[in-house]
Amino acid sequence: MACTSWMRSARNIRKSSRRQQGDNAFYVSVRGETAQEIASLWEKLAEGSTVLQPIAASQWCALYGMLKDRFGVVWVLDVAAQYNPG
């Protein structure tokens, strides 16, 4: 498994997102190399969680999803996008 994860501050999130100031001030971001890797992690984390953004393909990566686990921790999972310089 080649996932990377880190904590991010919600103050770096655009104001139009689902986060409100003071709510979910931090979240855990997990980025995997393959869709299978992230789908497997999502399946395990989703049990007993509240899905905030269903896992699905997005405009910026192969899979992206967000959920809040049973302890109140917000997780953002996505697949690293290939960088293709202009």
Side-chain angles (χ1 to χ4, degrees):
M1 181 176 293
C3 281
T4 58
S5 65
W6 59 90
M7 299 283 286
R8 290 186 172 176
S9 170
R11 67 186 166 157
N12 294 330
I13 305 301
R14 67 182 185 277
K15 293 184 189 291
S16 63
S17 73
R18 294 181 183 195
R19 290 174 185 71
Q20 299 296 321
Q21 187 173 5
D23 293 341
N24 303 325
F26 292 91
Y27 62 96
V28 179
S29 177
V30 179
R31 178 163 288 156
E33 293 183 2
T34 67
Q36 295 81 10
E37 182 179 31
I38 291 301
S40 174
L41 289 171
W42 179 270
E43 186 176 312
K44 293 169 187 161
L45 281 170
E47 188 174 326
S49 295
T50 301
V51 174
L52 303 174
Q53 176 68 43
I55 191 93
S58 70
Q59 293 177 343
W60 58 89
C61 66
L63 276 181
Y64 171 85
M66 181 171 31
L67 55 80
K68 182 184 285 190
D69 71 16
R70 63 182 183 217
F71 303 106
V73 177
V74 174
W75 293 78
V76 176
L77 282 72
D78 68 354
V79 176
Q82 293 290 332
Y83 175 68
N84 296 317

